Amino acid sequence: MVAERAGVSTATVSLVANGKASGRVSASNEILVREAIRELGYVVDSIGSSLARGVSNTVIMVAPDISNPFFAMVIAGVRAALGSEYQLLLSVTDAGQLPSAENTRRLLGLRPAGLLVDAPDPTFLQELSAPGPMVLLDAPGFGSDVPAVNLDVAQGALAIAAHLSATGHTTVAYLDGDTGTTTFDVRREAFLTAAEELGMSVPPEAQIATTINVGLAANAFATAWPSWKKAGVTAVVCATDTHAYGILQEARAAGILIPGELAVTGFDDLPYSTTSSPGLTSVHLPGELLGRRAAEQLLSLIAGEELEQQPITLESSLMVRGSTLEP
Amino acid sequence: MVAERAGVSTATVSLVANGKASGRVSASNEILVREAIRELGYVVDSIGSSLARGVSNTVIMVAPDISNPFFAMVIAGVRAALGSEYQLLLSVTDAGQLPSAENTRRLLGLRPAGLLVDAPDPTFLQELSAPGPMVLLDAPGFGSDVPAVNLDVAQGALAIAAHLSATGHTTVAYLDGDTGTTTFDVRREAFLTAAEELGMSVPPEAQIATTINVGLAANAFATAWPSWKKAGVTAVVCATDTHAYGILQEARAAGILIPGELAVTGFDDLPYSTTSSPGLTSVHLPGELLGRRAAEQLLSLIAGEELEQQPITLESSLMVRGSTLEP
DNA sequence: CTGAAAGCGCTTACAG
DNA sequence: CTGAAAGCGCTTACAG
């Protein structure tokens, strides 16, 4: 360690570099060390530090679906809560893949101070052992024994059902995501249940699923539309805004009137949903808050505190726009 | 190291765990070790490994602007080229911040096998010393001595100018990004130069800049439009599609006809540009290829190979849609 | 083919 | 207040 060329032992340097000098290092030595550090441009090697300490100062966030602009909001929230003490590193899964235990275990080798896992695979917890501080995001159905921050998407699904019912729809279609994310199951089941209670029908042939991709959603819709039309479908509920954009696009190309012939709704309330034509009725999900709360929980965990009341659930709200309501 | 409870020395275990056993470990011992590894669920501690070896098997990508869906394509390309040998970790800068040398230096403590830096600050290289394998993405103007993969945005800017000129525009506005990214400078300068050569004017008051955000772009446009109109502006060139969406949104709200009263163009060719109404004329940038080529270069660097011909520049192309052309 | 040993760069009791 | 020393979990020459 070069820094000690300025007179003292590595122990003293370590104390100063880690801000643990007060009361344990003489003022004169501290100054000497600081000067040496500056002159040599020394940066604590976090590998060595992590090895000695047992943990790194890295928080790793595992997430699928980074292409979703919604995700950027979540990240912003995480960063805001984490501050500068911890370094946030993102581990992205391949497109359409959920974070797996296998994957995450490799990350554990980096000795993260904590783990944030977004939309994990349902079997995730059973497979991953000895995790250390970990908070799940957007992971409904993992029970109350594991720290998690969820979005109340069911509430949003109910709001959609109520809104469609109130605007006179009786037969609706459902365009699902096919990534297997649990939140999609919750969205769908909540909607189907509410729809049934409200007397709306969702014919089996009007329940399809595609990857979260505008083009693929457009294609799927183009193929399905004739049979939907025959079945009397007048509205389609999409699992994400991205799916809905596909429908908007295809509908324009095919001359299908939105919302006259077909009303369309989404989930996420992405920025583009205000811009699209017509504007997209969508369930607004508080992404920034989701990230912030999850990071706060993780910080508590890292500090060794007990968490109360799990999981935390964040409310959603329906933004009604032109895709379901004639201006 | 618990794994050696199955009979051999740590050296032997290390050899097996790293796949260096062939010819150096007896078959019987190898089997023993593999069994022990499986039974104990042993994972090589990458911290210890990295410390001993000098480098980790982590490739760190530093990037701003993760909210840009374009970025997801870049990531996909990087992952595809990197394969499974290296773990990709993303370090995101705060919104509107470029990757700084300061920031990156901290990351170096993790001993990455290599660094991928997207849209760095212009002073980046001077400030960052002793980098190890590193490839820049989308970093025009860093000279030919540093490995980089760039997008030929200037070419796209020329295409826009030519297209607008050909469709009869003589006075145009420019809505820039204000993050200081070099690529924005290149886009703007290339366009302004080409516009001048083609006899189009871009009045000073019609050159404004905002953050990459639909809402902010919309506001800026709303404020600027009266004076633009007075100056005879009939087209606006936006530094990103996101800016353009803001204009589309505000124009619809204000009843400004696109492209009749105002033609609009963007850069990036995001998926939503096909969906928007009207479709957005935009410069298509090959994001997936950008990521792939950059990762390939990095892999060569890590393998100790010499790179030829730097920087690599990827071609762009103009996608003409309804925002500049009446159907 | 195999194991004992040194060493990677740090941190943290522990003596002094 | 300070330094010598042990130890974090690995890898890699080096003897045998």
Side-chain angles (χ1 to χ4, degrees), chain A residues 7-149:
Chain A
V8 298
S9 74
T10 62
T12 305
V13 172
S14 178
L15 254 17
V16 174
N18 288 297
K20 296 179 182 172
S22 75
R24 308 216 250 151
V25 175
S26 66
S28 58
N29 264 347
E30 187 172 349
I31 291 179
L32 251 32
V33 172
R34 289 203 186 284
E35 267 177 7
I37 288 181
R38 188 163 347 106
E39 283 167 12
L40 278 59
Y42 171 71
V43 181
V44 177
D45 182 295
S46 61
I47 296 275
S49 171
S50 299
L51 187 56
R53 216 193 311 238
V55 283
S56 69
N57 65 337
T58 296
V59 166
I60 297 188
M61 179 162 183
V62 190
D65 193 21
I66 194 191
S67 61
N68 196 144
F70 179 73
F71 191 66
M73 296 190 261
V74 180
I75 298 283
V78 169
R79 292 181 58 89
L82 237 37
S84 60
E85 193 185 349
Y86 292 97
Q87 181 112 35
L88 176 67
L89 247 27
L90 255 39
S91 174
V92 188
T93 60
D94 275 321
Q97 294 284 301
L98 300 186
S100 70
E102 170 63 23
N103 226 321
T104 308
R105 200 175 291 122
R106 286 183 59 191
L107 259 17
L108 254 26
L110 290 173
R111 308 259 195 96
L115 231 41
L116 252 19
V117 185
D118 194 0
D121 190 277
T123 62
F124 186 80
L125 278 190
Q126 291 140 38
E127 288 176 25
L128 189 70
S129 48
M134 176 173 72
V135 175
L136 270 27
L137 289 78
D138 201 5
F142 277 83
S144 59
D145 47 337
V146 38
V149 183

Side-chain angles (χ1 to χ4, degrees), chain B residues 42-97:
Chain B
Y42 172 71
V43 181
V44 177
D45 182 295
S46 60
I47 296 275
S49 170
S50 300
L51 186 58
R53 216 194 309 240
V55 284
S56 69
N57 66 337
T58 296
V59 166
I60 297 188
M61 179 162 185
V62 189
D65 194 21
I66 193 192
S67 61
N68 196 144
F70 178 72
F71 191 66
M73 296 190 262
V74 181
I75 298 282
V78 169
R79 291 181 59 89
L82 237 37
S84 60
E85 192 184 350
Y86 292 97
Q87 180 112 36
L88 176 66
L89 247 26
L90 254 39
S91 174
V92 188
T93 60
D94 275 318
Q97 294 284 301

Side-chain angles (χ1 to χ4, degrees), chain B residues 95-166:
Chain B
Q97 294 284 301
L98 301 185
S100 69
E102 169 64 24
N103 225 323
T104 308
R105 201 175 292 125
R106 286 183 59 190
L107 260 17
L108 255 25
L110 290 172
R111 307 260 194 97
L115 231 41
L116 251 20
V117 185
D118 194 359
D121 190 278
T123 63
F124 186 80
L125 278 190
Q126 291 141 39
E127 288 176 24
L128 190 70
S129 48
M134 175 173 71
V135 175
L136 269 28
L137 289 78
D138 201 4
F142 277 83
S144 59
D145 49 337
V146 39
V149 183
N150 292 154
L151 299 165
D152 193 355
V153 292
Q155 176 192 350
L158 298 194
I160 290 179
H163 172 61
L164 291 182
S165 177

Side-chain angles (χ1 to χ4, degrees), chain A residues 152-166:
Chain A
D152 192 356
V153 292
Q155 175 192 351
L158 297 195
I160 290 178
H163 172 61
L164 290 180
S165 177

